[in-house]
Amino acid sequence: MAEREPFRWPVRVYWEDTDAGGVVYHASYLRFLERARTEWLRALGIGQMAFKETTGLAFLVREMQLDFLRAALLDDELTVTVAVKERRAASILFGQTIARADGACLVRANVRVACVDTRRMRAVAIPADLILEPSP
């Protein structure tokens, strides 16, 4: 079986993403990772607001491990990847990267999200009809 390519989402670095020296502020990388996961879901036909409204469920970050390898700078073109590493009954572990256009990997991340009933704020099983399988 051929291995699926990770989902890719382009990001451009703007002033709002940087510190006074034009270096991307560490919290900005979290926004880039989040946007890529949101766009990955959207590419699968799942809008997060519609999902929440119809099911009462949402995906919330449970755990993150980040390895900052290199800095991004103002106006850099970046690519953020998303790959499902593991799916459990109520959570998904994503492997994500952020790379510059020249291919240099800047950030590696493992992000676990939990499926949560938003009324009770408790983890619940991911609906069976939601196809979010690990990449081979």
Side-chain angles (χ1 to χ4, degrees), residues 1 7 109:
M1 177 188 307
F7 176 81

Side-chain angles (χ1 to χ4, degrees), residues 2-17:
E3 187 170 323
R4 280 180 276 193
E5 286 288 316
F7 176 81
R8 297 180 185 287
W9 186 253
V11 172
R12 166 89 60 183
V13 176
Y14 299 109
W15 276 116
E16 67 185 15
D17 304 315

Side-chain angles (χ1 to χ4, degrees), residues 14 18 20 24 32-33 43 47 117 131:
Y14 299 109
T18 67
V24 171
F32 300 159
L33 295 168
D117 178 324
I131 301 172

Side-chain angles (χ1 to χ4, degrees), residues 36-48:
R37 289 191 310 277
T38 296
E39 295 303 331
W40 169 79
L41 278 171
R42 192 182 318 275
L44 292 173
I46 303 164
Q48 290 193 64

Side-chain angles (χ1 to χ4, degrees), residues 23-39:
V23 176
V24 171
Y25 182 66
H26 70 278
S28 295
Y29 294 107
L30 301 179
R31 287 193 300 273
F32 300 159
L33 295 168
E34 176 74 29
R35 290 175 192 163
R37 289 191 310 277
T38 296
E39 295 303 331

